[in-house]
Amino acid sequence: MKLGLAQSVGLIGMDATVVDVEAVVGGGLPRTVIVGLPDAALHEAGDRCRAALTQAGFTWPDQRVTINLSPASLPKAGTHFDIAIAAAVLTAATLLPAGRLQGTVFLGELGLNARVRSVRGVLPAVLAAANAGFTRAVVPAAHVHEASLVEGIEVVGVNTLHDVATWLRGGEVPLPAPEPAETVEEHQWDLVDVAGQLEARWAIEVAAAGRHHVFLTGPPGVGKTLLAERLPGILPELSPSEALEVAAIRSVSGLALGTQLSRRAPFSAPHHSASVAAMVGGGARIAQPGAISLAHRGILFLDEAPEFSPRALDALRTPLESGRVELARSLASTSYPARFQLVLAANPCPCGHAGQAGVHCECTPMAVRRYGARLSGPILDRVDIIAPLRPMTKSYLRAAGSTGEPSAAVAARVAEARERQRVRLEPVGCRTNAEVPGSVLRTSLPRPEGVDLLEATMTRGLLSLRGLDKVLRLAWTIADLNGADRPRLDHVRAAIALRRGEDQAGVVS
């Protein structure tokens, strides 16, 4: 019995492992057996491959075909093993030469008409193959641009099983020119559209500079969503490694990637009806990424935050601290990166007009308290900045002007502040102020002015210990935006005001 061997890649979340696809023909009655912990979709691969081979002009062996996916102890899921199975069976039946199988990974699903279909996770799979020393990857034509984002590996795009056979025989498959999966070009939201709201704009700038979490609160129509949507436009571009990490998460999720690596921070805004699984990730056997992982290295915006399920909101507590989400399922435990910047937005009450001068609020005091209590204390304690937005008046709009400062000018200040943080925090292994551990804040960095004010505020019960650390981080960010070597007293006062959602008049630089 001849052994056919091809390689593919098994994915469990973001973790990829090269899998040997072994095929042996003979040794029993005609039957196809797949072993090695396949899931239901992979278990059906034998029938798909048989039909595809027939359509491509080959004959499926009329003997027992045993297909082993090694390592056998690793759970296998997905349909992307189809091409590797077909290649292994064809070489085991001596219908195709095995010369080009060495150093090649195969990814792609086969249709019954022998066409190669798109699959999830091509980018992390090819990246794992390149790291394992493979020099070639055969992928569906629609994923050529995605796989080409990985350096140091030759990408062969195929449209049909016939293309695979031609390539294995030593022929050249013409570079396919399928239209890459269409992506909607993101609109470049600009802060110039935001009229007034100077304090809230400054709070957003501080949040961008230090990667702080923000809670925007105010009546409907004052610009909460407007500001949140423009936050990605003032964030620094992602580094190449960060952009590749973000693209790999999108690939695992089955989302389309463009022809080039996007360096823009992602923006994820799930609807308030989202379940816990939709937020953190879910799935029956192997969990898929959720909204918080799709927001990795970017913004997670929860509009109408009190309308979200309390369980969905509380599920954010651990990822906010750790930057990862660990999901245990029946087949395997999965870990996804989730280092996101949280932006919450909420009205003051169900009708939205509580505390608004000149507008009647229809909510009872109990309804207002109950509405506010939907955001739990532990979640709000993890928020760095509380930014109240107030309705604009005609006189204020005339004084403030019809347009605000453009995003480009704010982004330049944010980039300078981020660079100061990078230089200062590199010895402690951090890049932004929001990431600095409390112990480092209190012992390894220069002592800011106004520590007595902080201690007095904490003694009065207005700050928790976590809140104290957040004020220190905010003070450092404000100092970075102002080019100061360490936080001054006015920076500390401004940080306390930001943390407590107080009026910042007189302390805004």
Side-chain angles (χ1 to χ4, degrees):
M1 292 185 293
K2 183 177 171 66
L3 173 69
L5 175 62
Q7 272 87 26
S8 188
V9 178
L11 284 170
I12 298 181
M14 298 290 293
D15 298 325
T17 304
V18 175
V19 173
D20 291 335
V21 180
E22 303 169 317
V24 170
V25 177
L29 296 174
R31 184 187 175 194
T32 300
V33 178
I34 300 178
V35 297
L37 289 185
D39 71 343
L42 183 51
H43 187 73
E44 297 166 350
D47 295 326
R48 287 195 302 273
C49 292
R50 177 195 290 270
L53 261 64
T54 303
Q55 288 293 323
F58 296 100
T59 302
W60 188 266
D62 57 356
Q63 305 174 64
R64 180 185 175 96
V65 178
T66 303
I67 299 163
N68 178 47
L69 308 173
S70 179
S73 60
L74 179 75
K76 321 294 189 311
T79 57
H80 62 276
F81 292 95
D82 286 6
I83 297 182
I85 290 174
V89 170
L90 288 172
T91 54
T94 65
L95 297 176
L96 287 176
R100 281 191 164 183
L101 294 179
Q102 185 70 28
T104 304
V105 293
F106 294 83
L107 302 163
E109 176 187 336
L110 287 174
L112 300 186
N113 58 356
R115 293 197 65 82
V116 178
R117 302 182 184 276
S118 299
V119 292
R120 292 184 175 191
V122 168
L123 179 57
V126 174
L127 189 60
N131 292 336
F134 286 80
T135 57
R136 291 183 298 266
V138 176
V139 302
H143 292 290
V144 167
H145 296 293
E146 178 181 341
S148 298
L149 296 175
V150 181
E151 298 179 356
I153 193 165
E154 176 190 353
V155 178
V156 179
V158 293
N159 280 307
T160 65
L161 186 57
H162 177 73
D163 292 342
V164 179
T166 299
W167 185 79
L168 285 174
R169 290 190 179 110
E172 291 302 320
V173 179
L175 185 65
E179 306 107 64
E182 298 222 355
T183 56
V184 179
E185 186 67 23
E186 275 189 57
H187 181 71
Q188 299 296 313
W189 302 108
D190 199 298
L191 277 172
V192 76
D193 304 327
V194 182
Q197 301 296 359
L198 298 182
E199 293 184 4
R201 286 169 57 98
W202 183 72
I204 286 292
E205 181 177 339
V206 174
R211 210 187 66 81
H212 300 290
H213 306 307
V214 190
F215 180 27
L216 304 172
T217 178
V222 294
K224 301 186 295 294
T225 303
L226 205 68
L227 279 169
E229 289 176 339
R230 283 149 182 78
L231 180 54
I234 62 175
L235 293 176
E237 284 191 343
L238 302 176
S239 68
S241 61
E242 290 172 341
L244 194 61
E245 189 178 22
V246 169
I249 297 172
R250 290 182 60 86
S251 178
V252 170
S253 302
L255 299 177
L257 300 178
T259 57
Q260 294 183 341
L261 201 60
S262 174
R263 302 285 291 274
R264 188 176 177 83
F267 183 82
S268 178
H271 190 261
H272 59 72
S273 62
S275 64
V276 175
M279 290 290 288
V280 302
R285 288 159 60 85
I286 297 179
Q288 295 299 311
I292 64 173
S293 293
L294 293 175
H296 179 60
R297 302 293 181 189
I299 306 299
L300 177 68
F301 176 47
L302 304 185
D303 201 3
E304 306 294 344
E307 301 295 340
F308 280 80
S309 159
R311 291 184 63 245
L313 289 174
D314 286 338
L316 304 179
R317 287 156 60 174
T318 300
L320 279 171
E321 296 292 330
S322 66
R324 298 195 69 82
V325 57
E326 308 288 338
L327 302 169
R329 292 297 184 267
S330 61
L331 195 61
S333 294
T334 313
S335 176
Y336 289 109
R339 192 165 293 284
F340 57 90
Q341 189 172 349
L342 179 64
V343 179
L344 302 172
N347 296 326
C349 66
C351 80
H353 299 297
Q356 188 176 351
V359 181
H360 176 64
C361 175
E362 301 177 351
C363 305
T364 64
M366 180 61 73
V368 174
R369 286 196 298 271
R370 189 163 50 241
Y371 187 75
R374 291 179 65 88
L375 294 175
S376 67
I379 283 291
L380 291 179
D381 200 39
R382 285 166 168 81
V383 171
D384 305 279
I385 297 172
I386 299 176
L389 281 76
R390 298 173 180 84
M392 297 291 98
T393 62
K394 284 185 180 180
S395 59
Y396 189 90
L397 283 174
R398 280 196 296 268
S402 59
T403 59
E405 193 177 20
S407 291
V410 179
R413 293 196 297 269
V414 168
E416 291 177 7
R418 286 282 185 104
E419 179 60 20
R420 292 189 187 95
Q421 293 169 55
R422 185 193 66 79
V423 172
R424 181 178 67 250
L425 300 176
E426 193 171 25
V428 297
C430 299
R431 288 181 292 184
T432 61
N433 289 325
E435 302 171 20
V436 182
S439 58
V440 175
L441 276 173
R442 294 186 292 271
T443 59
S444 300
L445 297 181
R447 183 182 176 88
E449 298 176 11
V451 173
D452 293 341
L453 175 62
L454 285 175
E455 292 176 349
T457 305
M458 188 175 176
T459 302
R460 290 164 57 198
L462 301 179
L463 285 177
S464 66
L465 181 58
R466 180 189 281 129
L468 177 67
D469 288 343
K470 289 188 178 298
V471 168
L472 285 172
R473 295 185 184 103
L474 284 171
W476 272 106
T477 300
I478 296 169
D480 290 328
L481 283 169
N482 285 276
D485 292 334
R486 64 171 183 157
R488 300 192 304 264
L489 180 59
D490 57 333
H491 299 154
V492 173
R493 285 175 175 159
I496 294 174
L498 283 173
R499 169 66 181 166
R500 293 183 47 76
E502 297 170 348
D503 188 359
Q504 297 122 30
V507 295
V508 179
S509 300

